[in-house]
């Protein structure tokens, strides 16, 4: 993306993890805005120490290095900025395909993009390196997204453990999706969201955008926290990006970093 803040896009046919790569680059002083995109990852990282796997050349696997000046309490807005940019990019590419209608994609708090029926299209993983960097310079945060673009082509491609819980854009649109077009649209949409992180009004705007596309709000949830689960109704997202849950009439605010799982409460 020449002329934008994301002009340094580094491409890898195969790498262990784009998040790992940019965290190392950040330690060596790389500036905000570097992007790493991989066709394949041999040790892709997911949330909670899980792995993230996708066949070579099928999906969008990328990370962005940011150095936002944020209070620790607001750090989840970085994940939000990337998730919202991905929702926009999907919408833009789908419209460009001539399909007309908006593709229904939602953010499942804290870090997933999901379809109307709750199948996972993408996961976002933000990793901060709070110890690195010279004093006075904001610490690096690497935000990676794995977006199921052309894999799975059909449910039959999914391993049994993902059956019924994952989906791809190709399945939504009914045709192969151009990964390059999606990458361009994503970086276009991310620029203003990264700008928004710098001001209180911008951050409130990100939270408002999240509320508009967050499929968790209004649902009954069980949130697994390190000290045990809570059950209640998700009533909103705070301006800091935290989930607000009504637990039997008592309002609890849940911080993304504390969450092990958010599930529909049965
Ligand atoms: C999740 O568990 O839902 C988050 C998955 C994040 C995967 C992406 S793929 C690109 C980037 N590099 C990684 O190693 N992980 C992220």
């Amino acid at each position: 993306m020449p002329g934008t803040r994301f002009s340094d896009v580094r491409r890898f046919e195969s790498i262990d993890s784009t998040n790992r790569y940019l965290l190392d680059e950040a330690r060596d002083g790389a500036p905000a805005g570097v992007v790493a995109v991989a066709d394949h990852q041999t040790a892709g990282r997911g949330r909670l120490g899980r792995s993230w796997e996708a066949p070579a050349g099928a999906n969008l696997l990328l990370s962005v290095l940011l150095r936002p000046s944020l209070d620790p309490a607001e750090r989840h807005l970085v994940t939000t900025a990337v998730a919202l940019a991905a929702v926009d990019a999907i919408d833009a590419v789908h419209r460009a395909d001539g399909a007309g209608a908006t593709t229904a994609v939602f953010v499942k708090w804290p870090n997933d993009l999901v379809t109307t029926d709750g199948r996972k299209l993408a996961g976002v993983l933000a990793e901060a390196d709070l110890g690195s960097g010279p004093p006075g310079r904001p610490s690096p945060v690497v935000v990676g997204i794995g977006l199921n673009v052309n894999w799975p082509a059909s449910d039959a491609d999914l391993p049994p453990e993902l059956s019924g819980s994952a989906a791809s854009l190709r399945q939504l649109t009914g045709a192969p999706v151009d990964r390059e077009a999606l990458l361009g649209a994503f970086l276009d949409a991310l620029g203003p969201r990264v700008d928004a992180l710098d001001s209180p009004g911008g951050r409130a705007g990100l939270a408002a955008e999240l509320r508009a596309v967050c499929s968790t709000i209004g649902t009954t949830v069980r949130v697994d926290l390190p000290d045990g689960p809570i059950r209640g109704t998700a009533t909103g997202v705070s301006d800091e990006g935290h989930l607000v849950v009504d637990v039997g009439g008592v309002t609890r605010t849940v911080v993304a970093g504390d969450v092990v799982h958010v599930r529909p409460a049965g």
Side-chain angles (χ1 to χ4, degrees), residues 80 83-85 87-88 102-109 112-115 193 206-217 237:
T80 299
L84 291 172
V87 171
D88 257 17
T102 300
T103 310
V105 174
F106 302 92
V107 177
K108 176 177 173 254
W109 193 92
D112 290 347
L113 261 57
V114 296
T115 59
R193 275 80 188 200
L206 289 173
E209 266 197 89
L210 174 57
R211 281 177 210 118
V213 294
C214 180
S215 58
T216 314
I217 296 173
V237 169

PDB file of all heavy atoms in Angstrom, residues 80 83-85 87-88 102-109 112-115 193 206-217 237:
ATOM      1  N   THR A  80     -10.111  -4.755  18.528  1.00  0.00           N
ATOM      2  CA  THR A  80     -11.359  -4.255  17.945  1.00  0.00           C
ATOM      3  C   THR A  80     -11.103  -3.577  16.612  1.00  0.00           C
ATOM      4  O   THR A  80     -11.833  -3.797  15.633  1.00  0.00           O
ATOM      5  CB  THR A  80     -12.023  -3.257  18.932  1.00  0.00           C
ATOM      6  OG1 THR A  80     -12.311  -3.948  20.141  1.00  0.00           O
ATOM      7  CG2 THR A  80     -13.289  -2.656  18.363  1.00  0.00           C
ATOM      8  N   ALA A  83     -10.511  -6.222  13.997  1.00  0.00           N
ATOM      9  CA  ALA A  83     -11.739  -6.973  13.693  1.00  0.00           C
ATOM     10  C   ALA A  83     -12.697  -6.124  12.850  1.00  0.00           C
ATOM     11  O   ALA A  83     -13.278  -6.610  11.867  1.00  0.00           O
ATOM     12  CB  ALA A  83     -12.415  -7.405  14.999  1.00  0.00           C
ATOM     13  N   LEU A  84     -12.826  -4.843  13.203  1.00  0.00           N
ATOM     14  CA  LEU A  84     -13.737  -3.973  12.441  1.00  0.00           C
ATOM     15  C   LEU A  84     -13.227  -3.754  11.019  1.00  0.00           C
ATOM     16  O   LEU A  84     -14.019  -3.713  10.067  1.00  0.00           O
ATOM     17  CB  LEU A  84     -13.899  -2.623  13.153  1.00  0.00           C
ATOM     18  CG  LEU A  84     -14.652  -2.657  14.485  1.00  0.00           C
ATOM     19  CD1 LEU A  84     -14.553  -1.296  15.174  1.00  0.00           C
ATOM     20  CD2 LEU A  84     -16.116  -3.043  14.286  1.00  0.00           C
ATOM     21  N   ALA A  85     -11.921  -3.620  10.870  1.00  0.00           N
ATOM     22  CA  ALA A  85     -11.354  -3.448   9.523  1.00  0.00           C
ATOM     23  C   ALA A  85     -11.624  -4.690   8.676  1.00  0.00           C
ATOM     24  O   ALA A  85     -11.904  -4.591   7.474  1.00  0.00           O
ATOM     25  CB  ALA A  85      -9.860  -3.161   9.613  1.00  0.00           C
ATOM     26  N   VAL A  87     -14.188  -6.757   9.040  1.00  0.00           N
ATOM     27  CA  VAL A  87     -15.623  -6.753   8.681  1.00  0.00           C
ATOM     28  C   VAL A  87     -15.840  -5.835   7.482  1.00  0.00           C
ATOM     29  O   VAL A  87     -16.530  -6.193   6.510  1.00  0.00           O
ATOM     30  CB  VAL A  87     -16.497  -6.291   9.882  1.00  0.00           C
ATOM     31  CG1 VAL A  87     -17.946  -6.072   9.449  1.00  0.00           C
ATOM     32  CG2 VAL A  87     -16.430  -7.297  11.017  1.00  0.00           C
ATOM     33  N   ASP A  88     -15.224  -4.653   7.521  1.00  0.00           N
ATOM     34  CA  ASP A  88     -15.343  -3.699   6.403  1.00  0.00           C
ATOM     35  C   ASP A  88     -14.786  -4.274   5.112  1.00  0.00           C
ATOM     36  O   ASP A  88     -15.370  -4.100   4.038  1.00  0.00           O
ATOM     37  CB  ASP A  88     -14.503  -2.452   6.709  1.00  0.00           C
ATOM     38  CG  ASP A  88     -15.356  -1.301   7.142  1.00  0.00           C
ATOM     39  OD1 ASP A  88     -16.511  -1.540   7.517  1.00  0.00           O
ATOM     40  OD2 ASP A  88     -14.847  -0.158   7.106  1.00  0.00           O
ATOM     41  N   THR A 102     -25.012  -6.921   1.651  1.00  0.00           N
ATOM     42  CA  THR A 102     -23.936  -6.971   2.628  1.00  0.00           C
ATOM     43  C   THR A 102     -23.787  -8.399   3.152  1.00  0.00           C
ATOM     44  O   THR A 102     -24.780  -9.048   3.469  1.00  0.00           O
ATOM     45  CB  THR A 102     -24.277  -6.032   3.800  1.00  0.00           C
ATOM     46  OG1 THR A 102     -24.421  -4.734   3.280  1.00  0.00           O
ATOM     47  CG2 THR A 102     -23.209  -6.057   4.859  1.00  0.00           C
ATOM     48  N   THR A 103     -22.557  -8.869   3.191  1.00  0.00           N
ATOM     49  CA  THR A 103     -22.320 -10.183   3.770  1.00  0.00           C
ATOM     50  C   THR A 103     -22.513 -10.062   5.277  1.00  0.00           C
ATOM     51  O   THR A 103     -21.958  -9.162   5.893  1.00  0.00           O
ATOM     52  CB  THR A 103     -20.870 -10.621   3.487  1.00  0.00           C
ATOM     53  OG1 THR A 103     -20.629 -10.451   2.107  1.00  0.00           O
ATOM     54  CG2 THR A 103     -20.654 -12.061   3.876  1.00  0.00           C
ATOM     55  N   ALA A 104     -23.288 -10.953   5.833  1.00  0.00           N
ATOM     56  CA  ALA A 104     -23.562 -10.847   7.259  1.00  0.00           C
ATOM     57  C   ALA A 104     -22.404 -11.448   8.059  1.00  0.00           C
ATOM     58  O   ALA A 104     -22.257 -12.661   8.130  1.00  0.00           O
ATOM     59  CB  ALA A 104     -24.859 -11.562   7.582  1.00  0.00           C
ATOM     60  N   VAL A 105     -21.584 -10.569   8.589  1.00  0.00           N
ATOM     61  CA  VAL A 105     -20.446 -10.981   9.408  1.00  0.00           C
ATOM     62  C   VAL A 105     -20.487 -10.164  10.692  1.00  0.00           C
ATOM     63  O   VAL A 105     -20.737  -8.959  10.660  1.00  0.00           O
ATOM     64  CB  VAL A 105     -19.116 -10.717   8.660  1.00  0.00           C
ATOM     65  CG1 VAL A 105     -17.928 -11.002   9.564  1.00  0.00           C
ATOM     66  CG2 VAL A 105     -19.027 -11.583   7.413  1.00  0.00           C
ATOM     67  N   PHE A 106     -20.263 -10.836  11.798  1.00  0.00           N
ATOM     68  CA  PHE A 106     -20.372 -10.185  13.102  1.00  0.00           C
ATOM     69  C   PHE A 106     -19.087 -10.404  13.895  1.00  0.00           C
ATOM     70  O   PHE A 106     -18.305 -11.307  13.591  1.00  0.00           O
ATOM     71  CB  PHE A 106     -21.552 -10.778  13.887  1.00  0.00           C
ATOM     72  CG  PHE A 106     -22.856 -10.634  13.151  1.00  0.00           C
ATOM     73  CD1 PHE A 106     -23.307 -11.643  12.308  1.00  0.00           C
ATOM     74  CD2 PHE A 106     -23.611  -9.472  13.275  1.00  0.00           C
ATOM     75  CE1 PHE A 106     -24.496 -11.501  11.604  1.00  0.00           C
ATOM     76  CE2 PHE A 106     -24.799  -9.329  12.572  1.00  0.00           C
ATOM     77  CZ  PHE A 106     -25.246 -10.345  11.736  1.00  0.00           C
ATOM     78  N   VAL A 107     -18.927  -9.564  14.912  1.00  0.00           N
ATOM     79  CA  VAL A 107     -17.816  -9.773  15.843  1.00  0.00           C
ATOM     80  C   VAL A 107     -18.379 -10.462  17.079  1.00  0.00           C
ATOM     81  O   VAL A 107     -19.290  -9.946  17.729  1.00  0.00           O
ATOM     82  CB  VAL A 107     -17.153  -8.433  16.244  1.00  0.00           C
ATOM     83  CG1 VAL A 107     -16.045  -8.679  17.272  1.00  0.00           C
ATOM     84  CG2 VAL A 107     -16.597  -7.727  15.007  1.00  0.00           C
ATOM     85  N   LYS A 108     -17.838 -11.631  17.365  1.00  0.00           N
ATOM     86  CA  LYS A 108     -18.192 -12.310  18.618  1.00  0.00           C
ATOM     87  C   LYS A 108     -17.124 -11.882  19.621  1.00  0.00           C
ATOM     88  O   LYS A 108     -15.943 -12.192  19.428  1.00  0.00           O
ATOM     89  CB  LYS A 108     -18.177 -13.830  18.415  1.00  0.00           C
ATOM     90  CG  LYS A 108     -18.446 -14.600  19.674  1.00  0.00           C
ATOM     91  CD  LYS A 108     -18.479 -16.100  19.393  1.00  0.00           C
ATOM     92  CE  LYS A 108     -18.586 -16.870  20.677  1.00  0.00           C
ATOM     93  NZ  LYS A 108     -17.335 -17.528  21.065  1.00  0.00           N
ATOM     94  N   TRP A 109     -17.551 -11.151  20.627  1.00  0.00           N
ATOM     95  CA  TRP A 109     -16.596 -10.629  21.607  1.00  0.00           C
ATOM     96  C   TRP A 109     -15.912 -11.802  22.312  1.00  0.00           C
ATOM     97  O   TRP A 109     -16.587 -12.772  22.631  1.00  0.00           O
ATOM     98  CB  TRP A 109     -17.362  -9.767  22.622  1.00  0.00           C
ATOM     99  CG  TRP A 109     -16.479  -8.940  23.485  1.00  0.00           C
ATOM    100  CD1 TRP A 109     -16.059  -7.665  23.270  1.00  0.00           C
ATOM    101  CD2 TRP A 109     -15.900  -9.350  24.732  1.00  0.00           C
ATOM    102  NE1 TRP A 109     -15.241  -7.271  24.288  1.00  0.00           N
ATOM    103  CE2 TRP A 109     -15.126  -8.281  25.196  1.00  0.00           C
ATOM    104  CE3 TRP A 109     -15.924 -10.536  25.488  1.00  0.00           C
ATOM    105  CZ2 TRP A 109     -14.411  -8.347  26.397  1.00  0.00           C
ATOM    106  CZ3 TRP A 109     -15.211 -10.601  26.665  1.00  0.00           C
ATOM    107  CH2 TRP A 109     -14.470  -9.519  27.102  1.00  0.00           C
ATOM    108  N   ASP A 112     -13.426 -12.866  17.748  1.00  0.00           N
ATOM    109  CA  ASP A 112     -13.753 -13.685  16.572  1.00  0.00           C
ATOM    110  C   ASP A 112     -14.648 -12.928  15.598  1.00  0.00           C
ATOM    111  O   ASP A 112     -15.493 -12.128  16.012  1.00  0.00           O
ATOM    112  CB  ASP A 112     -14.520 -14.951  16.991  1.00  0.00           C
ATOM    113  CG  ASP A 112     -13.646 -15.939  17.733  1.00  0.00           C
ATOM    114  OD1 ASP A 112     -12.414 -15.776  17.720  1.00  0.00           O
ATOM    115  OD2 ASP A 112     -14.214 -16.858  18.336  1.00  0.00           O
ATOM    116  N   LEU A 113     -14.515 -13.258  14.325  1.00  0.00           N
ATOM    117  CA  LEU A 113     -15.520 -12.871  13.333  1.00  0.00           C
ATOM    118  C   LEU A 113     -16.347 -14.116  13.079  1.00  0.00           C
ATOM    119  O   LEU A 113     -15.788 -15.213  12.867  1.00  0.00           O
ATOM    120  CB  LEU A 113     -14.849 -12.428  12.026  1.00  0.00           C
ATOM    121  CG  LEU A 113     -14.680 -10.926  11.795  1.00  0.00           C
ATOM    122  CD1 LEU A 113     -13.894 -10.299  12.929  1.00  0.00           C
ATOM    123  CD2 LEU A 113     -13.974 -10.657  10.475  1.00  0.00           C
ATOM    124  N   VAL A 114     -17.663 -13.954  13.087  1.00  0.00           N
ATOM    125  CA  VAL A 114     -18.540 -15.115  12.929  1.00  0.00           C
ATOM    126  C   VAL A 114     -19.631 -14.834  11.904  1.00  0.00           C
ATOM    127  O   VAL A 114     -19.941 -13.679  11.595  1.00  0.00           O
ATOM    128  CB  VAL A 114     -19.196 -15.533  14.271  1.00  0.00           C
ATOM    129  CG1 VAL A 114     -18.158 -16.003  15.276  1.00  0.00           C
ATOM    130  CG2 VAL A 114     -20.038 -14.400  14.853  1.00  0.00           C
ATOM    131  N   THR A 115     -20.212 -15.917  11.401  1.00  0.00           N
ATOM    132  CA  THR A 115     -21.350 -15.821  10.488  1.00  0.00           C
ATOM    133  C   THR A 115     -22.644 -15.654  11.296  1.00  0.00           C
ATOM    134  O   THR A 115     -22.626 -15.752  12.531  1.00  0.00           O
ATOM    135  CB  THR A 115     -21.471 -17.114   9.654  1.00  0.00           C
ATOM    136  OG1 THR A 115     -21.649 -18.205  10.577  1.00  0.00           O
ATOM    137  CG2 THR A 115     -20.222 -17.367   8.825  1.00  0.00           C
ATOM    138  N   ARG A 193      -8.922   3.271  11.464  1.00  0.00           N
ATOM    139  CA  ARG A 193      -9.179   2.700  12.804  1.00  0.00           C
ATOM    140  C   ARG A 193      -7.951   2.833  13.690  1.00  0.00           C
ATOM    141  O   ARG A 193      -8.073   3.029  14.900  1.00  0.00           O
ATOM    142  CB  ARG A 193      -9.561   1.237  12.693  1.00  0.00           C
ATOM    143  CG  ARG A 193     -11.072   0.947  12.420  1.00  0.00           C
ATOM    144  CD  ARG A 193     -11.718   0.923  11.733  1.00  0.00           C
ATOM    145  NE  ARG A 193     -13.092   0.775  11.481  1.00  0.00           N
ATOM    146  CZ  ARG A 193     -13.543   0.421  10.297  1.00  0.00           C
ATOM    147  NH1 ARG A 193     -12.733   0.121   9.321  1.00  0.00           N
ATOM    148  NH2 ARG A 193     -14.827   0.383  10.088  1.00  0.00           N
ATOM    149  N   LEU A 206     -14.756   3.670  17.955  1.00  0.00           N
ATOM    150  CA  LEU A 206     -14.482   2.244  17.713  1.00  0.00           C
ATOM    151  C   LEU A 206     -15.417   1.372  18.549  1.00  0.00           C
ATOM    152  O   LEU A 206     -15.949   0.362  18.068  1.00  0.00           O
ATOM    153  CB  LEU A 206     -13.025   1.917  18.060  1.00  0.00           C
ATOM    154  CG  LEU A 206     -11.947   2.459  17.126  1.00  0.00           C
ATOM    155  CD1 LEU A 206     -10.561   2.185  17.708  1.00  0.00           C
ATOM    156  CD2 LEU A 206     -12.058   1.846  15.739  1.00  0.00           C
ATOM    157  N   ALA A 207     -15.590   1.780  19.815  1.00  0.00           N
ATOM    158  CA  ALA A 207     -16.483   0.997  20.687  1.00  0.00           C
ATOM    159  C   ALA A 207     -17.916   1.026  20.139  1.00  0.00           C
ATOM    160  O   ALA A 207     -18.619   0.009  20.161  1.00  0.00           O
ATOM    161  CB  ALA A 207     -16.428   1.529  22.110  1.00  0.00           C
ATOM    162  N   ALA A 208     -18.323   2.184  19.628  1.00  0.00           N
ATOM    163  CA  ALA A 208     -19.686   2.291  19.076  1.00  0.00           C
ATOM    164  C   ALA A 208     -19.829   1.403  17.841  1.00  0.00           C
ATOM    165  O   ALA A 208     -20.853   0.722  17.662  1.00  0.00           O
ATOM    166  CB  ALA A 208     -19.994   3.751  18.729  1.00  0.00           C
ATOM    167  N   GLU A 209     -18.795   1.406  17.007  1.00  0.00           N
ATOM    168  CA  GLU A 209     -18.827   0.531  15.826  1.00  0.00           C
ATOM    169  C   GLU A 209     -18.918  -0.928  16.243  1.00  0.00           C
ATOM    170  O   GLU A 209     -19.619  -1.729  15.626  1.00  0.00           O
ATOM    171  CB  GLU A 209     -17.527   0.705  15.037  1.00  0.00           C
ATOM    172  CG  GLU A 209     -17.554   1.689  13.922  1.00  0.00           C
ATOM    173  CD  GLU A 209     -16.363   1.435  13.009  1.00  0.00           C
ATOM    174  OE1 GLU A 209     -16.481   0.629  12.073  1.00  0.00           O
ATOM    175  OE2 GLU A 209     -15.305   2.030  13.266  1.00  0.00           O
ATOM    176  N   LEU A 210     -18.153  -1.265  17.288  1.00  0.00           N
ATOM    177  CA  LEU A 210     -18.171  -2.653  17.755  1.00  0.00           C
ATOM    178  C   LEU A 210     -19.576  -3.038  18.224  1.00  0.00           C
ATOM    179  O   LEU A 210     -20.077  -4.122  17.897  1.00  0.00           O
ATOM    180  CB  LEU A 210     -17.140  -2.844  18.880  1.00  0.00           C
ATOM    181  CG  LEU A 210     -17.132  -4.202  19.569  1.00  0.00           C
ATOM    182  CD1 LEU A 210     -16.906  -5.335  18.571  1.00  0.00           C
ATOM    183  CD2 LEU A 210     -16.056  -4.254  20.656  1.00  0.00           C
ATOM    184  N   ARG A 211     -20.207  -2.135  18.980  1.00  0.00           N
ATOM    185  CA  ARG A 211     -21.574  -2.437  19.467  1.00  0.00           C
ATOM    186  C   ARG A 211     -22.506  -2.769  18.312  1.00  0.00           C
ATOM    187  O   ARG A 211     -23.369  -3.633  18.415  1.00  0.00           O
ATOM    188  CB  ARG A 211     -22.138  -1.234  20.233  1.00  0.00           C
ATOM    189  CG  ARG A 211     -21.606  -1.122  21.629  1.00  0.00           C
ATOM    190  CD  ARG A 211     -22.123   0.133  22.335  1.00  0.00           C
ATOM    191  NE  ARG A 211     -21.105   0.559  23.279  1.00  0.00           N
ATOM    192  CZ  ARG A 211     -20.449   1.716  23.248  1.00  0.00           C
ATOM    193  NH1 ARG A 211     -20.757   2.637  22.347  1.00  0.00           N
ATOM    194  NH2 ARG A 211     -19.513   1.968  24.128  1.00  0.00           N
ATOM    195  N   ALA A 212     -22.312  -2.059  17.185  1.00  0.00           N
ATOM    196  CA  ALA A 212     -23.234  -2.221  16.054  1.00  0.00           C
ATOM    197  C   ALA A 212     -23.095  -3.576  15.367  1.00  0.00           C
ATOM    198  O   ALA A 212     -24.033  -4.030  14.710  1.00  0.00           O
ATOM    199  CB  ALA A 212     -23.012  -1.098  15.045  1.00  0.00           C
ATOM    200  N   VAL A 213     -21.943  -4.222  15.512  1.00  0.00           N
ATOM    201  CA  VAL A 213     -21.741  -5.505  14.799  1.00  0.00           C
ATOM    202  C   VAL A 213     -21.439  -6.654  15.762  1.00  0.00           C
ATOM    203  O   VAL A 213     -21.025  -7.735  15.330  1.00  0.00           O
ATOM    204  CB  VAL A 213     -20.599  -5.406  13.750  1.00  0.00           C
ATOM    205  CG1 VAL A 213     -20.960  -4.471  12.620  1.00  0.00           C
ATOM    206  CG2 VAL A 213     -19.268  -5.030  14.391  1.00  0.00           C
ATOM    207  N   CYS A 214     -21.649  -6.423  17.056  1.00  0.00           N
ATOM    208  CA  CYS A 214     -21.262  -7.437  18.048  1.00  0.00           C
ATOM    209  C   CYS A 214     -22.425  -8.405  18.288  1.00  0.00           C
ATOM    210  O   CYS A 214     -23.466  -8.021  18.825  1.00  0.00           O
ATOM    211  CB  CYS A 214     -20.857  -6.754  19.351  1.00  0.00           C
ATOM    212  SG  CYS A 214     -20.359  -7.926  20.612  1.00  0.00           S
ATOM    213  N   SER A 215     -22.227  -9.656  17.887  1.00  0.00           N
ATOM    214  CA  SER A 215     -23.307 -10.639  18.008  1.00  0.00           C
ATOM    215  C   SER A 215     -23.474 -11.129  19.442  1.00  0.00           C
ATOM    216  O   SER A 215     -24.448 -11.820  19.756  1.00  0.00           O
ATOM    217  CB  SER A 215     -23.027 -11.831  17.088  1.00  0.00           C
ATOM    218  OG  SER A 215     -21.793 -12.422  17.420  1.00  0.00           O
ATOM    219  N   THR A 216     -22.546 -10.778  20.327  1.00  0.00           N
ATOM    220  CA  THR A 216     -22.625 -11.251  21.714  1.00  0.00           C
ATOM    221  C   THR A 216     -23.664 -10.464  22.511  1.00  0.00           C
ATOM    222  O   THR A 216     -24.295 -11.003  23.429  1.00  0.00           O
ATOM    223  CB  THR A 216     -21.239 -11.111  22.384  1.00  0.00           C
ATOM    224  OG1 THR A 216     -20.248 -11.621  21.501  1.00  0.00           O
ATOM    225  CG2 THR A 216     -21.166 -11.854  23.702  1.00  0.00           C
ATOM    226  N   ILE A 217     -23.830  -9.185  22.134  1.00  0.00           N
ATOM    227  CA  ILE A 217     -24.742  -8.318  22.896  1.00  0.00           C
ATOM    228  C   ILE A 217     -26.178  -8.832  22.738  1.00  0.00           C
ATOM    229  O   ILE A 217     -26.636  -9.122  21.633  1.00  0.00           O
ATOM    230  CB  ILE A 217     -24.627  -6.851  22.419  1.00  0.00           C
ATOM    231  CG1 ILE A 217     -23.223  -6.321  22.702  1.00  0.00           C
ATOM    232  CG2 ILE A 217     -25.674  -5.968  23.098  1.00  0.00           C
ATOM    233  CD1 ILE A 217     -22.943  -4.939  22.122  1.00  0.00           C
ATOM    234  N   VAL A 237     -21.052  -3.162  25.307  1.00  0.00           N
ATOM    235  CA  VAL A 237     -19.590  -3.079  25.311  1.00  0.00           C
ATOM    236  C   VAL A 237     -19.250  -1.671  25.783  1.00  0.00           C
ATOM    237  O   VAL A 237     -19.839  -0.693  25.301  1.00  0.00           O
ATOM    238  CB  VAL A 237     -19.027  -3.333  23.892  1.00  0.00           C
ATOM    239  CG1 VAL A 237     -17.551  -2.994  23.833  1.00  0.00           C
ATOM    240  CG2 VAL A 237     -19.252  -4.778  23.459  1.00  0.00           C
TER     241      VAL A 237
END
